[in-house]
Amino acid sequence: MTFNALIVFALGYVLALFVIAFIAERRAAKGHSNWLTSPWIYTLSLSIYCTAWTFYGAVGYAARSGLEFVTIYLGPSLVMVGWWWVLRRLVRIGRAQRITSIADLVSSRFGKSTQLGMIVTVISVIAATPYIALQLQSVTLSFAVFAQSEGVSWDQPDFTATAMWVAVGLAVFTIIFGTRNLDANERHHGVVIAIAVEAVVKLLALIAVGVFVVWGIAGGPGEMLTRIDQSEMVLWNGNSGRWISLIFLSGAAFLCLPRMFQVLVVENADERHLHIASWAFPLYLFLISLFVVPIAVIGLDLLPAGSNPDLFVLTVPLSEGRGGLAVLSFLGGFSSATSMVIVATIALATMVSNHIVVPIWLSFQVNQQVVMSGDVRSVILMSRRLSVAGILALGFLYYRMSGGGTALAAIGLISFTGAVQILPAMIGGIFWRGATGVGAAAGLLTGLVIWMWTLFLPSFGTDAFISQTLMDEGMFGWSWLRPQALFWVEGLDPLVHGILWSMLLNSAMFIFCSLVTFPAPLERLQGAQFVNVFDHSNAAPAWTGAATGAEDLLIMSQRILGSTEAQAIFEQEAVRQGKAGHLPDVTPEFVERLERDLAGSVGAATAHAMMEQMIGGSSVSVEDLIAVADEAAQILEYSNRLESKSQEQERTARALRAANDKLTALSIQKDAFLSQISHELRTPMTSIRSFSDILRDGEMAENDHGRYAGIIHDEAVRLTRLLDDLLDLSVLENGQVELHKQTGRLSELLDRAVRAAGLHDGVLAISRDGATEDLVLTTDLDRLAQVFINLISNARKYCDADAPHLQISVIKDGERYAIDFIDNGSGIAAENQELIFEKFSRVADGSKAGGAGLGLAICREVMHRLGGEISYVPRKEGAAFRVHLPKVKSAVALEET
Amino acid sequence: MTGPSKTPVFLQRASYRQRRLRDGAKLVPFLGIILWLIPLAWQNEGAGERVGSWGVLYVFGVWVLLIVLAAALSSRLRSDASISDQGTSEE
């Protein structure tokens, strides 16, 4: 293929990319963005990490340092497989806070600070410029290779002109697709699709060259491995410091490079894409680097000594006469360079416009009254376009200045080190609430200075910025300030030395200054939101009072977003608030949301500053933060109270259930009592009625007449007794009984009871012990006698012994006296012992005894009222009742009174 | 403000599995770091055997292992981080 054909081919490729990007933008604008936002596109877009420097340079790196080249890919692989640690958090924060760039992330985290945004932007631009120059050099060199294959040897002006045209072309593409609109969420579908296509092209190109080398030249994997073993190439250089540092550096740069942040976080449409990308992107890196060693080995074998190993990917196919493969490989390199430059310039232009141009422009806008719709927007867009051009121009100038020599090749890693200075502020900001803006600024500036001194300035070559004397003797002749031996640490690899000191001192300053300073309220608020991004906690509103009208806010929003988009947002909010008109109420929530929308376009710091101008500085104060914390505490307390209340209700419910059970049982008991009592009343009534019927009819003998009348009388007496008992019991149970206290001797009381019990038939023999009965009692003696009578007559009625005998004895039980009534009958069965004191409980046959079964129940109530008790004492033989007397003073004491 | 924690102490089987998968996913990079630091012990100088193609195979083999592990874990991890953890401010 001729050189001119190659140029046409490259232009055709670029045109195809334009078309693809254009179609993607159109589809996204129409809302058909399904496949545009798939996890595979996301994964492929991450491949801008693999720039032309890695596409061409990896082989050269391998040829020079062996396996060390792979460290550049190992770091990102580790970061990706460890996505749960950092990436997931970054993406979530990016979405929650509408982050537009890494500078915006740092600025937003530390209180939407304009200064921090500027610092990060400056670091990023300085670090990226050489890297962009490197891409221009790669493309230029690859063109030169084709020119040389035609026998045309390029001079310096040819290189320069090519680099310039490449830069111009890239600027045009980037401006068209990267800065066409000012999105509320800052995504670039066209660009993302274009770089995804380029990712496929560069992967295919490298694999094609690799397959050709392994199978076409070496003759298979086995032979390839043998050739690797035989090669002169040193695979392992044993430099462990570089191995560790470079894995760390590449992993950190993967997070901190503005272009990587752009595709990882800003362009991320869905957090779930990380699931696929977490393994698919390491796979991509694996495939990209799989054939690097074989290509390097074969290149060293085939090509004459002294040929540039950085271009083996091109020169190996060319030397084998595979022009087509070389063109594919050229396209791969071209893709790598262009996609990186496009995304890097977009990311940097966003940062420059949002964090440098707009804040400065706003500070010059003294008269805020003279504003027009979209003026900020046009300033931003214009500044972005100029920034794109400016950044590419910087890269081009750097390329010119450095002369495009081999010095440039070494600068890739130095550029990485510069970008990585943002790492402590970023990681500290998202994991540590105590990180402060002062600390971040101190760390960033320290890192920047050390990086410049130890790596960046020396990279221009001796005597360009730093003279040999300075290198040897240090600044001001202080030997501890030598650029490659800070603090007298000598003998380290310069790169490892630079990484080590810049990261150490950067982190140390960041941590120390964070510890000793106090953050502003907004900073604390943002810190809490960033660190606790997964807690779904309600953030404190950053705006308390909103002393402005909706019209003013609309005018300001129109300045940034343009009238159509701004009005759409306001109408949406009006609908949300349920208002009929176009203008919503200015609530703190709305102001918050609007600020976030604006931040998606101009960055958090600018959006906040503009909002502050409108609303008059009524932003969040320490008191507000404390109030919010109090509110949270109150809510917590309230919920705790609710919880305890519900526990209390549960307890009450349990008590109620228990009470209900008791009531049910009582109701059953009452029914049983009623049916029992009706039965007891019915029996005598029945006989009274029947005998009185007979009497009324007459016609009977005289003695029958008398007998029937006698029966009626007995039954009436029994009925009366039953009713008396019932009345007595009810009086006792209701506690309405009146006690008539008297004082008397126990022996006399017992005499009276024995007499009253009706023992005149002489059936029951009673034995007593007069001596122990000599006690004086003060209580209701009549009632107590009633109990004794009941017990004695029970013994008479129920004692089934042949010679019934009742033993009445007084015993002293502690301080109290008890009287036992023990007969010699068969006693009461164990299962009935519990029941005998219940109403209507009759153990024996009722007809025999003729009682209603209320006697013992009355006894128990009486004893209860008197303050004593009655109980049944289980014994081997005979029934034994024990009556505990109420507590009495000793007889002696009583006599003294 | 020591209210009762929102997260239960014991979880359903499925949530428990999710948590352990998450733990596994977090450990993968450390496994990678350890395995990729092993080359530091390789000797190149002196009479010892020179690092040859087996060195390349080792580094790339670890890579494949990590990719397979990450793929197996991330496909089983539910995307919704809030399932059972919340509170998980950070586990």
Side-chain angles (χ1 to χ4, degrees):
Chain A
M1 184 180 283
T2 66
F3 182 69
N4 285 337
L6 182 77
I7 290 181
V8 173
F9 201 80
L11 285 179
Y13 178 67
V14 171
L15 193 67
L17 287 182
F18 265 84
V19 172
I20 290 170
F22 184 69
I23 292 173
E25 291 268 302
R26 284 279 297 271
R27 285 185 65 90
K30 284 180 187 166
H32 306 293
S33 54
N34 295 347
W35 59 276
L36 292 177
T37 55
S38 86
W40 304 106
I41 300 289
Y42 178 68
T43 306
L44 286 174
S45 72
L46 298 185
S47 75
I48 55 154
Y49 179 77
C50 309
T51 62
W53 176 55
T54 51
F55 187 86
Y56 295 124
V59 175
Y61 200 154
R64 292 185 198 99
S65 312
L67 264 178
E68 194 180 287
F69 88 92
V70 87
T71 52
I72 299 304
Y73 302 102
L74 297 190
S77 295
L78 288 173
V79 171
M80 282 312 288
V81 294
W83 63 288
W84 198 272
W85 287 106
V86 177
L87 276 180
R88 191 176 70 106
R89 188 173 274 265
L90 270 183
V91 168
R92 180 68 71 88
I93 291 172
R95 295 174 66 77
Q97 299 283 328
R98 296 289 190 87
I99 299 296
T100 60
S101 66
I102 188 162
D104 195 27
L105 178 91
V106 174
S107 137
S108 180
R109 160 63 179 85
F110 297 104
K112 310 190 180 179
S113 145
T114 312
Q115 291 81 2
L116 271 176
M118 282 185 181
I119 295 173
V120 175
T121 304
V122 167
I123 293 179
S124 299
V125 171
I126 297 177
T129 304
Y131 211 81
I132 290 171
L134 198 54
Q135 308 304 313
L136 297 179
Q137 186 195 30
S138 305
V139 177
T140 314
L141 274 179
S142 62
F143 271 115
V145 166
F146 280 91
Q148 268 164 350
S149 72
E150 286 194 350
V152 183
S153 185
W154 274 21
D155 293 329
Q156 193 58 35
D158 298 318
F159 281 104
T160 311
T162 314
M164 193 185 75
W165 283 114
V166 171
V168 169
L170 286 170
V172 169
F173 184 92
T174 311
I175 287 171
I176 289 180
F177 290 101
T179 64
R180 207 170 54 153
N181 49 8
L182 197 54
D183 239 1
N185 52 15
E186 205 56 53
R187 296 215 179 91
H188 308 87
H189 296 292
V191 171
V192 168
I193 281 297
I195 61 177
V197 171
E198 292 191 302
V200 176
V201 170
K202 64 192 180 198
L203 181 62
L204 285 182
L206 209 53
I207 288 180
V209 176
V211 167
F212 168 68
V213 162
V214 172
W215 278 273
I217 299 178
E223 287 81 354
M224 190 66 237
L225 290 178
T226 322
R227 283 186 83 148
I228 291 176
D229 283 334
Q230 290 164 350
S231 168
E232 286 300 302
M233 202 174 100
V234 179
L235 271 175
W236 182 250
N237 59 15
N239 192 334
S240 50
R242 272 181 80 90
W243 180 261
I244 297 173
S245 308
L246 289 180
I247 291 182
F248 164 77
L249 180 68
S250 60
F254 185 69
L255 292 169
C256 293
L257 286 170
R259 64 173 195 276
M260 288 319 298
F261 191 88
Q262 177 81 24
V263 284
L264 268 174
V265 178
V266 181
E267 305 278 358
N268 177 288
D270 190 337
E271 215 175 296
R272 280 169 297 183
H273 291 176
L274 276 177
H275 285 239
I276 301 286
S278 73
W279 61 268
F281 186 62
L283 180 66
Y284 185 93
L285 293 176
F286 172 85
L287 292 174
I288 278 275
S289 41
L290 185 59
F291 292 108
V292 167
V293 171
I295 296 172
V297 167
I298 298 291
L300 284 175
D301 279 0
L302 286 184
L303 297 175
S307 49
N308 185 356
D310 282 335
L311 294 170
F312 279 172
V313 182
L314 282 178
T315 47
V316 168
L318 275 179
S319 71
E320 295 292 304
R322 300 296 182 113
L325 191 60
V327 170
L328 181 63
S329 158
F330 166 82
L331 280 188
F334 187 71
S335 299
S336 310
T338 50
S339 56
M340 177 270 162
V341 173
I342 290 166
V343 179
T345 46
I346 289 178
L348 289 172
T350 307
M351 285 158 71
V352 169
S353 73
N354 287 357
H355 296 281
I356 293 181
V357 177
V358 174
I360 291 173
W361 182 80
L362 277 178
S363 69
F364 279 114
Q365 294 276 304
V366 185
N367 189 353
Q368 286 293 319
Q369 302 307 314
V370 192
V371 291
M372 48 188 260
S373 173
D375 66 336
V376 179
R377 174 189 162 87
S378 61
V379 166
I380 293 171
L381 279 179
M382 188 48 69
S383 71
R384 282 197 191 166
R385 283 169 192 151
L386 291 178
S387 304
V388 168
I391 289 160
L392 278 164
L394 270 181
F396 175 70
L397 277 180
Y398 191 98
Y399 171 72
R400 274 292 306 270
M401 270 172 49
S402 69
T406 43
L408 204 51
I411 205 158
L413 290 172
I414 292 174
S415 161
F416 269 27
T417 315
V420 160
Q421 298 310 318
I422 306 167
L423 187 78
M426 181 171 89
I427 296 295
I430 65 175
F431 283 105
W432 182 33
R433 276 183 68 174
T436 69
V438 177
L444 285 167
L445 291 176
T446 308
L448 177 65
V449 167
I450 293 177
W451 171 68
M452 298 273 263
W453 183 243
T454 59
L455 290 174
F456 189 65
L457 294 181
S459 78
F460 288 92
T462 314
D463 292 334
F465 285 96
I466 298 182
S467 65
Q468 191 59 45
T469 7
L470 214 52
M471 290 290 279
D472 291 341
E473 292 170 14
M475 195 182 276
F476 314 123
W478 295 342
S479 60
W480 60 277
L481 273 182
R482 277 171 292 167
Q484 296 184 344
L486 276 188
F487 305 105
W488 304 288
V489 176
E490 289 177 64
L492 276 180
D493 180 277
L495 183 70
V496 175
H497 171 267
I499 296 173
L500 192 71
W501 281 119
S502 63
M503 287 318 287
L504 268 183
L505 295 178
N506 179 337
S507 309
M509 283 304 281
F510 169 59
I511 292 170
F512 176 75
C513 292
S514 292
L515 290 177
V516 298
T517 53
F518 195 81
L522 188 59
E523 225 179 301
R524 294 171 74 184
L525 183 65
Q526 289 292 96
Q529 288 200 27
F530 272 56
V531 175
N532 304 331
V533 68
F534 292 110
D535 285 355
H536 312 290
S537 55
N538 275 342
W543 301 100
T544 45
T548 185
E551 290 89 350
D552 293 338
L553 278 181
L554 179 61
I555 290 169
M556 185 200 65
S557 310
Q558 284 176 342
R559 292 177 66 190
I560 296 174
L561 300 172
S563 52
T564 326
E565 274 197 54
Q567 278 167 11
I569 289 176
F570 274 67
E571 276 173 32
Q572 220 175 350
E573 179 65 23
V575 169
R576 203 203 311 261
Q577 292 182 0
K579 294 197 66 174
H582 294 297
L583 287 178
D585 289 335
V586 183
T587 61
E589 292 74 31
F590 173 53
V591 175
E592 177 87 15
R593 203 155 34 230
L594 184 64
E595 188 193 321
R596 207 160 277 183
D597 278 345
L598 298 182
S601 294
V602 294
T606 304
H608 190 74
M610 292 190 74
M611 221 49 151
E612 209 161 39
Q613 272 181 348
M614 294 301 299
I615 292 175
S618 59
S619 180
V620 69
S621 65
V622 179
E623 287 72 28
D624 296 331
L625 286 184
I626 292 167
V628 168
D630 281 351
E631 208 170 286
Q634 277 169 9
I635 289 171
L636 193 68
E637 195 190 337
Y638 179 65
S639 75
N640 282 349
R641 267 214 303 272
L642 273 184
E643 197 162 309
S644 68
K645 206 166 262 178
S646 82
Q647 280 172 356
E648 193 183 310
Q649 280 173 345
E650 212 166 287
R651 273 198 298 277
T652 315
R654 264 203 302 277
L656 277 177
R657 267 198 297 278
N660 189 42
D661 290 347
K662 211 177 204 168
L663 280 176
T664 315
L666 279 177
S667 163
I668 293 169
Q669 213 176 335
K670 186 198 72 188
D671 290 347
F673 177 74
L674 280 178
S675 79
Q676 186 78 41
I677 203 135
S678 348
H679 178 75
E680 293 294 337
L681 292 175
R682 202 165 177 269
T683 322
M685 283 305 276
T686 311
S687 59
I688 290 172
R689 207 182 66 202
S690 43
F691 284 108
S692 54
D693 274 350
I694 298 169
L695 284 180
R696 189 183 57 197
D697 294 346
E699 313 276 326
M700 69 183 76
E702 189 62 28
N703 60 337
D704 281 349
H705 194 275
R707 195 162 56 86
Y708 292 159
I711 289 172
I712 292 173
H713 178 258
D714 287 349
E715 289 299 317
V717 168
R718 190 173 146 203
L719 203 56
T720 313
R721 199 170 59 227
L722 180 64
L723 288 174
D724 282 348
D725 283 354
L726 270 176
L727 201 61
D728 206 13
L729 190 62
S730 126
V731 166
L732 281 168
E733 279 185 338
N734 290 335
Q736 293 163 339
V737 67
E738 272 186 41
L739 298 178
H740 304 287
K741 288 209 173 178
Q742 301 158 285
T743 303
R745 294 201 166 266
L746 179 63
S747 51
E748 287 168 14
L749 197 63
L750 281 171
D751 290 344
R752 198 172 111 200
V754 170
R755 272 198 307 277
L759 299 179
H760 40 79
D761 50 5
V763 179
L764 183 68
I766 293 182
S767 59
R768 292 166 55 186
D769 177 4
T772 55
E773 289 171 7
D774 191 18
L775 286 172
V776 178
L777 297 173
T778 303
T779 182
D780 190 332
L781 294 178
D782 293 339
R783 284 289 184 184
L784 192 57
Q786 186 189 355
V787 174
F788 292 163
I789 294 166
N790 208 305
L791 288 176
I792 295 169
S793 56
N794 270 357
R796 183 174 67 85
K797 276 186 256 176
Y798 299 116
C799 185
D800 48 4
D802 292 335
H805 171 262
L806 179 70
Q807 163 86 36
I808 300 176
S809 52
V810 179
I811 55 170
K812 194 166 187 240
D813 181 12
E815 287 190 9
R816 304 169 68 183
Y817 289 94
I819 306 160
D820 283 351
F821 294 82
I822 305 170
D823 66 23
N824 59 346
S826 55
I828 295 168
E831 67 266 25
N832 292 328
Q833 288 171 5
E834 288 291 306
L835 296 173
I836 50 177
F837 292 106
E838 298 300 325
K839 283 171 263 188
F840 300 109
S841 64
R842 256 180 323 211
V843 177
D845 182 12
S847 58
K848 176 187 162 194
L854 290 171
L856 283 174
I858 292 174
C859 285
R860 190 179 62 170
E861 284 302 322
V862 168
M863 289 314 295
H864 183 62
R865 291 289 150 211
L866 294 182
E869 67 182 275
I870 180 169
S871 55
Y872 183 81
V873 185
R875 281 169 59 94
K876 249 190 260 175
E877 56 177 28
F881 289 90
R882 174 168 294 173
V883 177
H884 276 272
L885 294 177
K887 215 169 174 181
V888 289
K889 294 170 190 168
S890 71
V892 183
L894 196 80
E895 275 164 359
E896 279 174 355
T897 53
Chain B
M1 295 208 329
T2 48
S5 168
K6 276 178 286 175
T7 39
V9 179
F10 300 107
L11 304 165
Q12 299 283 320
R13 179 174 283 268
S15 314
Y16 181 88
R17 226 7 67 228
Q18 276 295 306
R19 288 224 175 159
R20 299 295 82 81
L21 279 172
R22 245 174 259 166
D23 293 346
K26 286 179 182 172
L27 287 176
V28 174
F30 294 101
L31 177 73
I33 290 172
I34 291 166
L35 290 178
W36 273 329
L37 287 186
I38 285 177
L40 295 181
W42 293 347
Q43 299 296 319
N44 213 13
E45 281 100 48
E49 199 197 337
R50 208 164 144 263
V51 175
S53 55
W54 54 267
V56 180
L57 292 180
Y58 173 79
V59 170
F60 281 80
V62 172
W63 214 331
V64 171
L65 173 75
L66 290 190
I67 291 167
V68 170
L69 270 180
L73 284 170
S74 70
S75 64
R76 281 173 181 78
L77 271 172
R78 278 196 293 257
S79 53
D80 188 357
S82 66
I83 287 182
S84 79
D85 124 323
Q86 263 1 261
T88 138
S89 47
E90 212 33 43
E91 307 73 62

